Amino acid sequence: MFKNRTLLEKLKNKHPYLLDELPATVRVDGIEMPLESATLDQIAFAVIALENEVRPISRRMNALRELYDLARKHGALGAHRIGHAFADKGGRS
């Protein structure tokens, strides 16, 4: 009748908004292992590996955001092409 919950399930239940996305496994040195078996160091290395994957995406996102903000500051509106947003009065970029 009663299901024995795993430590992971208990943690997610106790901290639903903070730990909802916890994976059941982590990849450390190319090896997939259960999260509950991982050491703190292994979790730290898994975090670093994920950060290395996310960093290039974050940089592109921030660069696009900066370009958008600069274009808006130059008076561009939503339908304007980016090349026109930065063109001088003579039509040159």
Side-chain angles (χ1 to χ4, degrees):
M1 262 193 178
F2 292 101
K3 178 184 169 192
N4 288 336
R5 294 186 319 174
T6 66
L7 174 62
L8 187 59
E9 291 169 330
K10 290 176 187 175
L11 286 170
K12 286 182 178 185
N13 190 47
K14 189 170 182 174
H15 306 282
Y17 297 105
L18 296 174
L19 303 180
D20 270 349
E21 298 301 319
L22 272 179
T25 61
V26 290
R27 182 171 291 281
V28 180
D29 294 329
I31 299 169
E32 199 79 22
M33 66 182 331
L35 181 63
E36 294 179 23
S37 300
T39 67
L40 286 179
D41 282 345
Q42 290 170 323
I43 291 172
F45 291 132
V47 168
I48 291 168
L50 286 171
E51 286 173 343
N52 289 336
E53 289 180 34
V54 170
R55 191 170 290 122
I57 295 167
S58 180
R59 285 182 182 150
R60 284 194 307 270
M61 180 187 67
N62 288 329
L64 286 169
R65 184 177 288 134
E66 288 297 324
L67 179 65
Y68 174 86
D69 291 344
L70 285 171
R72 284 293 194 175
K73 288 177 184 174
H74 274 87
L77 300 175
H80 289 151
R81 301 211 183 275
I82 199 68
H84 294 146
F86 295 102
D88 64 17
K89 293 187 182 188
R92 295 180 304 263
S93 295

